């Protein structure tokens, strides 16, 4: 059914047009606007605002380099609208792309839409799913003077990972700005808990065109897109205008893993090291040099990050990682993300305190058994959320069970289910806390903090 709908929409709406983009400076903000169109269906005009009242802009917001970044940002924004009909041709009227660039964008779209294709039952083919035509005017920013200083720009999501990143970067940089896409209380609270003021946040507000939401309600194709690629280009633009030499992410090694055994379907594709490497190379070849985009947590897995996070108790009642409850700044306690975070932290924090943080003991929720089985690897499908590997959560749950046993407490239902299926004593012999992923792009300036964290989480401190 979905496959036939996919083909039907592609035949009915064969072309998607990226018509234009604009940059305007208004009092206290930069306004970025885009114009997309699917002929015969709809026009879309999404926008993003960057608050500048608290910022010193050291590079021109509307320079050749700035406009080039914004043009490319539009290429990522476009995929959210293109996917509703999966038009087979994308015609770019407002810029030029070389054949190599077109291949780069096709790779991003195809990898970033992997979950979308899978969940919609679409058997897309890389060669034929999209043709990009882009013969517009080429922006030449070569030779443009760029002001860059030893400043770090740190994207903040409000979860445990970005809290750990904030602590690591503080040890390496004296000049730090934070970056958010759409303000949420947990994001601001994380920055404040890290010891910085709200004026250190580069705040952006991204708006989705309501016409797309209407089409989704009407039954047009919908699903996950590579949002972190938007973060990449938008943070690059903000890093550029503020003269920041480093954009420091919080993506762990676990983000490289597929959600489906045997398939390349990764919910976190644009958080993967593959994308990070591709993006960095694309920026150097096509935009500018002098800004490093990297994840300081790439050497670590989720379990190690959870241990480091729990060493900073000031964040425990401030952080939030639940997408469903984000607008209300709460844990919904019904989604795989809540269950994973509760589980991974249970290795290093008492269940009673976690119950106070979340509002209930998620190990008691038998109705979450299906998600639980997916997280621990008893199901071939890992939940489509930003969650870690089965090995990581198994270790955490085994540690939590050991703590229950030591205190003579009865195991709650989900931990009983786990113990019935796994040898927890053998799992705790795993060297998972001693792992170190050497595939990363971390500059030497930040390595002392990384090595210090490794020493603590692995227990190998000198």
């Amino acid at each position: 059914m979905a496959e036939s709908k996919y083909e039907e929409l592609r035949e009915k709406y064969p072309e998607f047009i990226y018509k234009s983009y604009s940059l305007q400076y208004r009092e206290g903000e930069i306004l970025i606007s885009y114009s997309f169109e699917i002929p015969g269906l709809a026009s879309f005009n999404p926008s993003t605002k960057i608050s500048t009242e608290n910022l010193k802009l050291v590079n021109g917001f509307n320079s050749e380099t700035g406009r080039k970044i914004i043009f490319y940002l539009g290429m990522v924004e476009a995929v959210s609208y293109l996917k509703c009909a999966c038009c087979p041709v994308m015609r770019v009227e407002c810029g030029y792309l070389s054949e190599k660039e077109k291949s780069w964008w096709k790779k991003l779209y195809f990898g970033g839409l992997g979950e979308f294709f899978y969940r919609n039952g679409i058997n897309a083919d890389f060669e034929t799913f999209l043709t990009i035509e882009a013969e517009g005017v080429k922006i030449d920013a070569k030779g443009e003077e760029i002001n860059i200083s030893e400043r770090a720009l740190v994207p903040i999501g409000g979860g445990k990972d970005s809290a750990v990143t904030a602590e690591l970067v503080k040890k390496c940089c004296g000049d730090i700005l934070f970056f958010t896409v759409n303000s949420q209380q947990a994001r601001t609270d994380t920055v404040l808990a890290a010891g910085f003021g709200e004026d250190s946040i580069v705040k952006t507000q991204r708006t989705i065109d309501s016409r797309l939401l209407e089409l989704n309600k009407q039954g047009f194709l919908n699903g996950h897109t590579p949002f972190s690629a938007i973060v990449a280009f938008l943070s690059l633009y903000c890093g550029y205008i503020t003269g920041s030499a480093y954009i420091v992410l919080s993506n762990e090694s676990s983000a490289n893993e597929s959600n489906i055994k045997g398939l390349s379907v990764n919910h976190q594709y644009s958080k993967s090291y593959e994308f990070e490497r591709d993006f960095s190379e694309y920026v150097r070849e096509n935009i500018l040099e002098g800004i490093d985009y990297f994840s300081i947590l790439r050497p670590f897995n989720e379990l190690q990050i959870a241990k480091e996070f729990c060493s900073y108790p000031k964040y425990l009642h401030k952080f939030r990682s639940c997408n469903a409850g984000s607008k209300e700044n709460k844990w919904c306690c019904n989604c795989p993300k809540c269950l994973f975070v509760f589980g991974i932290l249970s290795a290093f924090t008492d269940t009673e305190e976690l119950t106070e943080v979340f509002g209930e003991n998620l190990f008691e929720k038998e109705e979450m058994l299906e998600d639980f089985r997916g997280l621990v690897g008893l199901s071939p499908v890992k939940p489509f959320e930003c969650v870690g590997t089965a090995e990581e959560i198994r270790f955490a749950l085994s540690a939590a069970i050991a703590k229950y046993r030591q205190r003579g407490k009865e195991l709650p239902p989900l931990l009983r289910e786990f113990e019935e299926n796994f040898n927890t004593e053998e799992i705790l012999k795993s060297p998972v806390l001693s792992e170190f992923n050497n595939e990363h792009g971390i500059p030497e300036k930040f390595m002392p903090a990384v090595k210090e964290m490794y020493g603590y989480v692995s227990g190998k401190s000198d």
Side-chain angles (χ1 to χ4, degrees), residues 192-384:
L192 296 177
F196 296 83
E198 194 168 345
D199 61 352
S200 67
I201 306 175
V202 182
K203 294 184 177 181
T204 71
Q205 186 69 32
R206 176 174 173 260
T207 302
I208 297 172
D209 192 300
S210 60
R211 181 68 177 124
L212 178 63
L213 305 179
E214 293 170 10
L215 292 174
N216 292 342
K217 291 178 182 177
Q218 293 172 23
F220 282 78
L221 294 169
N222 190 21
H224 182 72
T225 58
F227 175 74
S228 292
I230 288 175
V231 173
F233 280 97
L234 185 54
S235 65
L236 178 67
Y237 178 75
C238 291
Y240 166 72
I241 61 176
T242 58
S244 303
Y246 308 102
I247 298 172
V248 191
L249 309 170
S250 307
N251 302 325
E252 72 292 335
S253 61
S254 315
N256 299 325
E257 184 186 63
S258 172
N259 288 75
I260 313 294
K261 291 179 180 178
L263 296 177
S264 297
V265 179
N266 186 357
H267 174 80
Q268 301 187 80
Y269 175 77
S270 55
K271 289 185 175 182
S272 68
Y273 180 67
E274 181 179 2
F275 172 75
E276 178 186 316
R277 183 189 58 217
D278 288 352
F279 177 77
S280 296
E281 181 180 325
Y282 191 86
V283 170
R284 285 193 301 269
E285 289 186 359
N286 300 287
I287 307 175
L288 54 76
E289 294 185 357
I291 298 180
D292 286 322
Y293 173 92
F294 66 96
S295 173
I296 199 169
L297 298 184
R298 190 70 69 188
F300 304 105
N301 58 50
E302 282 275 16
L303 189 71
Q304 294 167 316
I305 295 167
K307 183 176 180 180
E308 179 77 7
F309 174 77
C310 290
S311 72
Y312 306 115
K314 62 186 177 182
Y315 293 106
L316 190 58
H317 291 265
K318 303 291 186 183
F319 88 115
R320 300 288 186 275
S321 297
C322 172
N323 294 320
S326 60
K327 291 184 179 179
E328 298 176 64
N329 196 43
K330 69 178 186 180
W331 299 96
C332 79
C333 295
N334 290 304
C335 72
K337 188 64 179 285
C338 283
L339 184 57
F340 173 79
V341 176
F342 191 97
I344 205 77
L345 294 182
S346 68
F348 313 106
T349 302
D350 288 340
T351 306
E352 290 82 0
E353 185 166 13
L354 288 177
T355 300
E356 183 181 336
V357 170
F358 282 76
E360 52 187 307
N361 184 345
L362 272 60
F363 292 148
E364 301 279 0
K365 303 195 70 167
E366 295 181 80
E367 63 270 30
M368 298 187 76
L369 181 59
E370 183 178 350
D371 287 333
F372 184 79
R373 291 176 66 85
L375 288 172
V376 301
L378 291 172
S379 164
V381 180
K382 186 171 77 170
F384 288 103

Side-chain angles (χ1 to χ4, degrees), residues 116-177:
F116 165 81
F117 292 138
Y118 176 82
R119 298 185 76 166
N120 281 289
I122 297 168
N123 185 26
D125 173 74
F126 178 79
E127 296 301 327
T128 60
F129 89 101
L130 183 66
T131 298
I132 301 175
E133 299 174 354
E135 303 301 329
V137 176
K138 184 176 183 179
I139 301 174
D140 186 5
K142 289 182 179 179
E144 191 169 68
E145 184 177 342
I146 298 175
N147 298 304
I148 298 292
S149 64
E150 288 290 301
R151 176 180 296 120
L153 181 68
V154 181
I156 292 288
K160 68 184 188 319
D161 297 357
S162 52
V164 171
T165 292
E167 291 297 323
L168 296 184
V169 175
K170 280 165 57 178
K171 298 175 182 179
C172 309
C173 281
D175 191 353
I176 304 174
L177 288 174

